[in-house]
Amino acid sequence: MKKKLTGLIFNRAFKYSGEPVFKLVSGRMSNYYFNCKAVTLHPEGMHLIGNLIFEMVKDLNIKGIGGLTLGADPVAYAVSYASFIKGKPIETFVVRKSAKAHGTMQWIEGDVRKGDRVVIVDDVITTGKSTIEAISRAKEAGLEIVKVICLIDRQEGGRENIEALGYKVDALVLRDEVMELYRKEK
């Protein structure tokens, strides 16, 4: 499944240029770009992501899985769906980028409460900024974060930034694994 997922990422989500032409969220320019929505919103991508991450979390006794909207949402949905099919349901939650402006004015949506054990997910980790924001909001809500998982680690310090806060980070696919496919194709 991991090999299939890496191939899907390479074929559908990965872009490379000899010159740094891709602008990242940080404002920095890069030689490569991952448009993960092309994989996380793809039926086979959802199936692979959901099953691979479920295998990583199934024995962690967690109540929920989620992260900062929008990148984390399809990843969390895929895991939640796979968990139900496999008879070990895990709730999905969404961390908003800003508090809801009406009603309960919550930062987090979903059936998770103070004290619940959760896993934070993200589609791509570069600097770790959005993942760290999700971690901060989850902690403020009293959630116990047991692990962080990303679809792709760009290997640019994000994992180290998150682990410096005391959280274990696992990645389904590393940038180096995709670059290896690129070099083989080139």
Side-chain angles (χ1 to χ4, degrees):
M1 281 188 151
K2 180 181 172 169
K3 186 175 179 181
K4 276 187 174 181
L5 180 61
T6 305
L8 203 59
I9 289 167
F10 175 72
N11 289 313
R12 295 185 65 92
F14 179 70
K15 306 269 186 257
Y16 185 81
S17 169
E19 298 295 319
V21 297
F22 303 106
K23 188 173 186 176
L24 305 178
V25 173
S26 67
R28 192 173 58 78
M29 300 302 285
S30 177
N31 292 62
Y32 54 92
Y33 181 71
F34 291 97
N35 177 13
C36 287
K37 307 307 178 286
V39 175
T40 62
L41 299 174
H42 183 272
E44 184 180 17
M46 286 182 175
H47 170 75
L48 295 168
I49 291 164
N51 282 283
L52 286 166
I53 295 178
F54 175 75
E55 287 301 314
M56 297 167 78
V57 303
K58 68 181 181 185
D59 297 324
L60 296 179
N61 190 31
I62 58 170
K63 165 78 185 224
I65 191 161
L68 192 67
T69 198
L70 178 70
D73 297 347
V75 174
Y77 301 154
V79 177
S80 188
Y81 180 77
S83 75
F84 181 80
I85 296 296
K86 295 183 182 246
K88 288 183 96 170
I90 299 168
E91 296 280 342
T92 299
F93 66 92
V94 174
V95 179
R96 294 175 173 275
K97 290 186 179 176
S98 59
K100 191 174 178 181
H102 61 282
T104 57
M105 300 193 287
Q106 299 180 107
W107 282 94
I108 296 180
E109 297 291 343
D111 189 20
V112 290
R113 292 175 176 70
K114 185 177 181 177
D116 285 344
R117 293 169 53 86
V118 300
V119 168
I120 300 290
V121 291
D122 211 337
D123 58 352
V124 178
I125 290 178
T126 304
T127 65
K129 184 176 179 281
S130 64
T131 309
I132 290 169
E133 185 176 338
I135 289 168
S136 296
R137 295 293 174 208
K139 279 178 58 178
E140 288 170 10
L143 301 177
E144 180 188 344
I145 301 155
V146 298
K147 184 185 276 272
V148 175
I149 300 172
C150 67
L151 173 57
I152 300 169
D153 181 353
R154 285 178 54 105
Q155 299 173 284
E156 295 184 27
R159 174 192 298 253
E160 293 80 2
N161 292 338
I162 296 163
E163 289 183 343
L165 299 174
Y167 300 99
K168 169 90 171 89
V169 179
D170 286 328
L172 287 180
V173 177
L174 301 175
R175 175 202 63 203
D176 286 351
E177 293 170 318
V178 177
M179 288 303 296
E180 186 178 318
L181 281 179
Y182 175 78
R183 285 188 290 277
K184 284 181 184 175
E185 293 286 319
K186 197 177 173 192

